[in-house]
Amino acid sequence: MTDVVALGEVMLRFDPGEGRIRTARSFQVWEGGGEYNVVRGLRRCFGLRTAVVTALADNAVGRLVEDLILQGGVDTALIRWTSDDGVGRTARNGLNFVERGYGIRGALGVSDRAHTAVSRLRKGDVDWDTVFSAGARWFHTGGIFAGLSDTTVDVADEAMAAARRHGVTVSYDPNHRPSLWTGRGGPQRAREVDLRLARHADVVVGALGLAGEHPGAVRFGADEVPDALAEAAGRLPGVNVLATTLREAPSAGVNDWSAAAWSAGTGFVTGPRMPGLHVLDRIGSGDAFAAGLIHGLLAGHPLDRALAYGTAHGALTMTTPGDVSMATLAEVEALVAGADAHVRR
């Protein structure tokens, strides 16, 4: 039986390490994807049984992605395999080139993901009643998957509605990527899609993306976050929990890191504050935050404790390369309890 199911794209990430994409002669290859990273973290760090619903072109690149997913312990039984035409005219696998940044130079991502197999998914392609009748407790998807194409919006809507019918807790992360909406309605269209899908959610991660006129329109100061979450809650009266990371980035390698959340029963709470956090690779930290939060909520912890799990897990994920978490549950719990960086022998 699977505890948590995610719906999203899984890409190959090409990492030039300390160098630049445009001058690289070699890359480290990882797997990654906003929704997938969450279930990967839940499996490897928190020990939950997880699966990903995605689609891949059936060629050597797709099988490499599958092999990486298998190494992460995520169930691959729900992957849909698309016939390969030899050159990717009809469907292909997504690539993501990401450099980590350093000092005043921020991280840079260059996606090569148009016309991927997963972007061609359509409503009716997945038997969601079968997926959710197997005992899953939680379903997660987000705005990255929804932004891949016009048809993926309908797939996400169908999946979230089915999860609710089966009594499965649903989470959604707006996770706005401007590049996905260029020429397709921009941030205003992204906001419409987010509100359409988030109405199915019990938990919204990255909830500040639903405040303001449109995603990215406003950068909220710490004192503005309670009102911003209240604004988002007003747009989604059926949502139980709203959560968000809080980050200030004076440099690519040093971030001030924390989190906040709201629920109707608890009100506004904040997570542990981690000023001056040293960052090796920030990509995937928001997804790791979502994984820790979900773990805490599934375990029945109060909101502030669940938020602490998310904050700690996101912080630890920034200390290792790649999109996915390399943290252990013991490390997360020690950080929640206030551990420092002393050597452990």
Side-chain angles (χ1 to χ4, degrees):
M1 185 177 71
T2 300
D3 294 306
V4 184
V5 176
L7 168 65
E9 182 168 39
V10 188
M11 299 190 293
L12 286 182
R13 172 178 167 179
F14 287 79
D15 181 354
E18 296 177 353
R20 305 295 304 272
I21 296 167
R22 63 188 183 190
T23 57
R25 298 297 180 267
S26 63
F27 293 89
Q28 174 74 47
V29 177
W30 317 89
E31 88 278 26
E35 297 84 7
Y36 163 79
N37 294 340
V38 175
V39 289
R40 210 274 195 184
L42 283 165
R43 176 68 187 92
R44 295 295 285 173
C45 181
F46 298 104
L48 297 177
R49 296 159 297 185
T50 65
V52 62
V53 179
T54 192
L56 296 168
D58 194 356
N59 56 29
V61 175
R63 294 297 172 176
L64 172 57
V65 177
E66 179 194 34
D67 188 62
L68 292 164
I69 296 172
L70 287 168
Q71 290 179 50
V74 177
D75 191 344
T76 60
L78 299 178
I79 294 176
R80 292 178 56 86
W81 291 96
T82 301
S83 297
D84 177 40
D85 63 16
V87 295
R89 289 189 184 92
T90 56
R92 53 186 290 270
N93 299 301
L95 308 178
N96 193 24
F97 296 81
V98 181
E99 57 187 53
R100 304 172 195 169
Y102 184 82
I104 60 171
R105 175 173 56 86
L108 172 67
V110 180
S111 296
D112 181 15
R113 68 195 309 177
H115 312 298
T116 55
V118 71
S119 73
R120 300 173 67 85
L121 282 180
R122 294 179 177 274
K123 186 176 180 179
D125 284 348
V126 178
D127 184 348
W128 293 108
D129 288 323
T130 297
V131 171
F132 295 126
S133 64
R137 296 191 287 158
W138 197 289
F139 174 68
H140 178 74
T141 192
I144 295 178
F145 173 77
L148 295 177
S149 70
D150 293 337
T151 63
T152 54
V153 177
D154 294 331
V155 175
D157 193 293
E158 176 189 43
M160 296 172 80
R164 293 297 295 267
R165 285 199 309 272
H166 286 268
V168 176
T169 302
V170 176
S171 57
Y172 181 79
D173 185 347
N175 220 348
H176 181 60
R177 296 289 185 271
S179 58
L180 292 176
W181 296 97
T182 300
R184 298 180 54 235
Q188 289 80 12
R189 175 58 180 156
R191 168 58 57 78
E192 293 172 9
V193 167
D194 285 335
L195 292 177
R196 171 186 169 185
L197 297 179
R199 66 186 172 89
H200 295 299
D202 301 285
V203 177
V204 174
V205 187
L208 287 184
L210 297 179
E213 182 181 352
H214 57 73
V218 182
R219 285 187 57 84
F220 297 99
D223 59 337
E224 299 172 306
V225 172
D227 288 341
L229 290 183
E231 177 187 338
R235 291 174 170 169
L236 298 168
V239 171
N240 297 324
V241 174
L242 298 170
T244 185
T245 59
L246 301 174
R247 182 199 307 268
E248 294 293 333
S251 81
V254 178
N255 289 185
D256 297 331
W257 174 255
S258 187
W262 170 93
S263 73
T266 304
F268 180 77
V269 296
T270 56
R273 293 183 65 253
M274 300 183 185
L277 181 69
H278 287 262
V279 176
L280 177 64
D281 186 344
R282 66 174 279 175
I283 306 301
S285 54
D287 306 323
F289 166 78
L293 178 77
I294 291 169
H295 159 73
L297 294 174
L298 274 174
H301 292 298
L303 183 57
D304 58 347
R305 178 74 175 181
L307 192 63
Y309 273 110
T311 309
H313 190 224
L316 287 166
T317 297
M318 285 187 275
T319 69
T320 53
D323 284 33
V324 298
S325 168
M326 299 182 188
T328 67
L329 179 55
E331 290 171 335
V332 172
E333 291 184 330
L335 189 56
V336 169
D340 56 26
H342 286 145
V343 175
R344 294 186 298 276
R345 302 182 190 274

Short mmCIF file of all heavy atoms in Angstrom, two decimals, residues 1-5 49-51 53 75 77-78 127-138 162-163 165-168:
data_model
loop_
_atom_site.label_atom_id
_atom_site.label_comp_id
_atom_site.label_asym_id
_atom_site.label_seq_id
_atom_site.Cartn_x
_atom_site.Cartn_y
_atom_site.Cartn_z
N MET A 1 0.84 -1.20 0.00
CA MET A 1 0.00 0.00 0.00
C MET A 1 0.88 1.25 0.00
O MET A 1 1.89 1.30 0.70
CB MET A 1 -0.91 0.01 1.22
CG MET A 1 -1.90 1.17 1.24
SD MET A 1 -3.01 1.11 2.66
CE MET A 1 -1.87 1.54 3.98
N THR A 2 0.49 2.24 -0.78
CA THR A 2 1.24 3.49 -0.90
C THR A 2 0.65 4.54 0.04
O THR A 2 -0.57 4.70 0.12
CB THR A 2 1.19 4.00 -2.35
OG1 THR A 2 1.78 3.02 -3.20
CG2 THR A 2 1.95 5.31 -2.49
N ASP A 3 1.51 5.24 0.75
CA ASP A 3 1.06 6.32 1.64
C ASP A 3 0.78 7.62 0.89
O ASP A 3 -0.23 8.27 1.11
CB ASP A 3 2.13 6.59 2.71
CG ASP A 3 2.32 5.41 3.65
OD1 ASP A 3 1.32 4.95 4.23
OD2 ASP A 3 3.46 4.96 3.80
N VAL A 4 1.72 8.01 0.01
CA VAL A 4 1.63 9.31 -0.65
C VAL A 4 1.88 9.13 -2.15
O VAL A 4 2.86 8.48 -2.55
CB VAL A 4 2.65 10.31 -0.08
CG1 VAL A 4 2.46 11.69 -0.73
CG2 VAL A 4 2.51 10.42 1.43
N VAL A 5 1.02 9.72 -2.96
CA VAL A 5 1.14 9.70 -4.42
C VAL A 5 1.33 11.13 -4.90
O VAL A 5 0.66 12.05 -4.42
CB VAL A 5 -0.11 9.09 -5.08
CG1 VAL A 5 -0.01 9.15 -6.60
CG2 VAL A 5 -0.33 7.65 -4.61
N ARG A 49 5.88 5.14 2.20
CA ARG A 49 5.80 4.46 0.91
C ARG A 49 5.17 5.42 -0.09
O ARG A 49 4.04 5.89 0.13
CB ARG A 49 4.97 3.18 1.04
CG ARG A 49 5.59 2.15 1.98
CD ARG A 49 4.58 1.17 2.49
NE ARG A 49 3.57 1.86 3.30
CZ ARG A 49 2.60 1.24 3.96
NH1 ARG A 49 2.49 -0.06 3.92
NH2 ARG A 49 1.72 1.94 4.66
N THR A 50 5.88 5.70 -1.17
CA THR A 50 5.43 6.73 -2.09
C THR A 50 5.48 6.25 -3.54
O THR A 50 6.21 5.31 -3.88
CB THR A 50 6.28 8.01 -1.96
OG1 THR A 50 7.63 7.73 -2.36
CG2 THR A 50 6.28 8.53 -0.53
N ALA A 51 4.72 6.93 -4.39
CA ALA A 51 4.69 6.63 -5.82
C ALA A 51 4.53 7.93 -6.59
O ALA A 51 4.02 8.92 -6.05
CB ALA A 51 3.54 5.68 -6.15
N VAL A 53 3.04 9.50 -10.30
CA VAL A 53 2.34 9.38 -11.57
C VAL A 53 3.00 10.36 -12.53
O VAL A 53 3.00 11.58 -12.29
CB VAL A 53 0.84 9.69 -11.45
CG1 VAL A 53 0.16 9.59 -12.80
CG2 VAL A 53 0.18 8.76 -10.44
N ASP A 75 7.99 4.28 -5.95
CA ASP A 75 7.35 3.27 -6.78
C ASP A 75 7.16 3.80 -8.20
O ASP A 75 6.63 4.91 -8.39
CB ASP A 75 6.01 2.88 -6.16
CG ASP A 75 5.38 1.65 -6.79
OD1 ASP A 75 5.79 1.25 -7.89
OD2 ASP A 75 4.45 1.09 -6.18
N ALA A 77 5.45 2.03 -10.60
CA ALA A 77 4.39 1.28 -11.25
C ALA A 77 3.38 2.18 -11.96
O ALA A 77 2.68 1.73 -12.88
CB ALA A 77 3.67 0.40 -10.23
N LEU A 78 3.28 3.44 -11.55
CA LEU A 78 2.29 4.34 -12.13
C LEU A 78 2.86 5.21 -13.25
O LEU A 78 2.19 6.12 -13.74
CB LEU A 78 1.70 5.24 -11.04
CG LEU A 78 0.97 4.49 -9.92
CD1 LEU A 78 0.47 5.46 -8.86
CD2 LEU A 78 -0.19 3.67 -10.47
N ASP A 127 -6.46 6.06 -14.61
CA ASP A 127 -7.61 5.58 -13.86
C ASP A 127 -7.40 5.97 -12.39
O ASP A 127 -6.87 5.21 -11.59
CB ASP A 127 -7.76 4.06 -14.00
CG ASP A 127 -9.00 3.51 -13.31
OD1 ASP A 127 -9.63 4.26 -12.54
OD2 ASP A 127 -9.32 2.33 -13.54
N TRP A 128 -7.84 7.15 -12.04
CA TRP A 128 -7.58 7.68 -10.70
C TRP A 128 -8.34 6.93 -9.62
O TRP A 128 -7.86 6.82 -8.48
CB TRP A 128 -7.91 9.17 -10.65
CG TRP A 128 -6.99 9.98 -11.49
CD1 TRP A 128 -7.27 10.59 -12.67
CD2 TRP A 128 -5.60 10.23 -11.22
NE1 TRP A 128 -6.15 11.22 -13.16
CE2 TRP A 128 -5.11 11.03 -12.30
CE3 TRP A 128 -4.73 9.88 -10.21
CZ2 TRP A 128 -3.80 11.47 -12.37
CZ3 TRP A 128 -3.42 10.31 -10.26
CH2 TRP A 128 -2.96 11.09 -11.33
N ASP A 129 -9.50 6.40 -9.94
CA ASP A 129 -10.22 5.63 -8.94
C ASP A 129 -9.43 4.40 -8.53
O ASP A 129 -9.39 4.03 -7.35
CB ASP A 129 -11.60 5.23 -9.47
CG ASP A 129 -12.57 6.40 -9.55
OD1 ASP A 129 -12.51 7.27 -8.66
OD2 ASP A 129 -13.36 6.47 -10.50
N THR A 130 -8.76 3.77 -9.48
CA THR A 130 -7.91 2.63 -9.15
C THR A 130 -6.71 3.08 -8.32
O THR A 130 -6.31 2.42 -7.35
CB THR A 130 -7.44 1.92 -10.43
OG1 THR A 130 -8.57 1.40 -11.12
CG2 THR A 130 -6.48 0.78 -10.11
N VAL A 131 -6.10 4.19 -8.70
CA VAL A 131 -4.94 4.72 -7.97
C VAL A 131 -5.29 4.95 -6.51
O VAL A 131 -4.55 4.55 -5.60
CB VAL A 131 -4.42 6.01 -8.63
CG1 VAL A 131 -3.36 6.69 -7.75
CG2 VAL A 131 -3.85 5.73 -10.02
N PHE A 132 -6.43 5.60 -6.26
CA PHE A 132 -6.75 6.02 -4.90
C PHE A 132 -7.52 4.97 -4.10
O PHE A 132 -7.65 5.10 -2.88
CB PHE A 132 -7.52 7.34 -4.92
CG PHE A 132 -6.71 8.49 -5.44
CD1 PHE A 132 -7.16 9.27 -6.50
CD2 PHE A 132 -5.47 8.78 -4.89
CE1 PHE A 132 -6.40 10.33 -6.98
CE2 PHE A 132 -4.70 9.84 -5.37
CZ PHE A 132 -5.17 10.61 -6.43
N SER A 133 -8.01 3.94 -4.76
CA SER A 133 -8.71 2.88 -4.02
C SER A 133 -7.74 1.91 -3.37
O SER A 133 -8.15 1.04 -2.60
CB SER A 133 -9.66 2.12 -4.95
OG SER A 133 -8.92 1.43 -5.96
N ALA A 134 -6.44 2.06 -3.65
CA ALA A 134 -5.44 1.15 -3.10
C ALA A 134 -4.96 1.55 -1.70
O ALA A 134 -4.05 0.93 -1.16
CB ALA A 134 -4.24 1.07 -4.04
N GLY A 135 -5.54 2.60 -1.13
CA GLY A 135 -5.25 2.94 0.25
C GLY A 135 -4.33 4.12 0.48
O GLY A 135 -3.87 4.33 1.60
N ALA A 136 -4.05 4.91 -0.57
CA ALA A 136 -3.21 6.09 -0.39
C ALA A 136 -3.84 7.04 0.63
O ALA A 136 -5.07 7.19 0.70
CB ALA A 136 -3.00 6.82 -1.71
N ARG A 137 -2.99 7.69 1.41
CA ARG A 137 -3.47 8.62 2.43
C ARG A 137 -3.33 10.08 2.01
O ARG A 137 -4.01 10.95 2.57
CB ARG A 137 -2.70 8.41 3.74
CG ARG A 137 -2.90 7.04 4.36
CD ARG A 137 -2.32 7.02 5.77
NE ARG A 137 -0.86 7.01 5.76
CZ ARG A 137 -0.11 7.41 6.79
NH1 ARG A 137 -0.68 7.90 7.89
NH2 ARG A 137 1.20 7.35 6.73
N TRP A 138 -2.44 10.35 1.04
CA TRP A 138 -2.15 11.75 0.68
C TRP A 138 -1.84 11.80 -0.81
O TRP A 138 -1.20 10.90 -1.37
CB TRP A 138 -0.94 12.24 1.48
CG TRP A 138 -0.76 13.72 1.51
CD1 TRP A 138 -0.37 14.53 0.48
CD2 TRP A 138 -0.93 14.59 2.64
NE1 TRP A 138 -0.29 15.83 0.88
CE2 TRP A 138 -0.64 15.90 2.21
CE3 TRP A 138 -1.29 14.37 3.97
CZ2 TRP A 138 -0.69 17.00 3.06
CZ3 TRP A 138 -1.36 15.47 4.82
CH2 TRP A 138 -1.06 16.76 4.37
N ALA A 162 -10.71 13.32 -7.78
CA ALA A 162 -10.82 11.90 -7.48
C ALA A 162 -10.25 11.60 -6.09
O ALA A 162 -10.82 10.79 -5.34
CB ALA A 162 -10.09 11.08 -8.54
N ALA A 163 -9.14 12.22 -5.76
CA ALA A 163 -8.55 12.00 -4.43
C ALA A 163 -9.53 12.42 -3.34
O ALA A 163 -9.71 11.71 -2.33
CB ALA A 163 -7.25 12.78 -4.31
N ARG A 165 -12.77 12.46 -3.53
CA ARG A 165 -13.87 11.48 -3.48
C ARG A 165 -13.49 10.27 -2.64
O ARG A 165 -14.35 9.66 -1.99
CB ARG A 165 -14.23 11.01 -4.90
CG ARG A 165 -15.00 11.98 -5.73
CD ARG A 165 -15.70 11.28 -6.90
NE ARG A 165 -14.81 10.44 -7.69
CZ ARG A 165 -14.09 10.87 -8.71
NH1 ARG A 165 -14.14 12.15 -9.06
NH2 ARG A 165 -13.33 10.03 -9.40
N HIS A 166 -12.22 9.90 -2.68
CA HIS A 166 -11.76 8.72 -1.97
C HIS A 166 -11.28 9.04 -0.55
O HIS A 166 -10.72 8.17 0.11
CB HIS A 166 -10.65 8.04 -2.76
CG HIS A 166 -11.14 7.29 -3.97
ND1 HIS A 166 -11.49 5.96 -3.93
CD2 HIS A 166 -11.39 7.71 -5.24
CE1 HIS A 166 -11.90 5.58 -5.14
NE2 HIS A 166 -11.86 6.62 -5.95
N GLY A 167 -11.48 10.27 -0.10
CA GLY A 167 -11.10 10.63 1.26
C GLY A 167 -9.61 10.80 1.46
O GLY A 167 -9.12 10.74 2.60
N VAL A 168 -8.88 11.02 0.37
CA VAL A 168 -7.43 11.21 0.44
C VAL A 168 -7.13 12.69 0.67
O VAL A 168 -7.70 13.55 0.00
CB VAL A 168 -6.76 10.73 -0.87
CG1 VAL A 168 -5.26 10.99 -0.86
CG2 VAL A 168 -7.05 9.24 -1.10
#
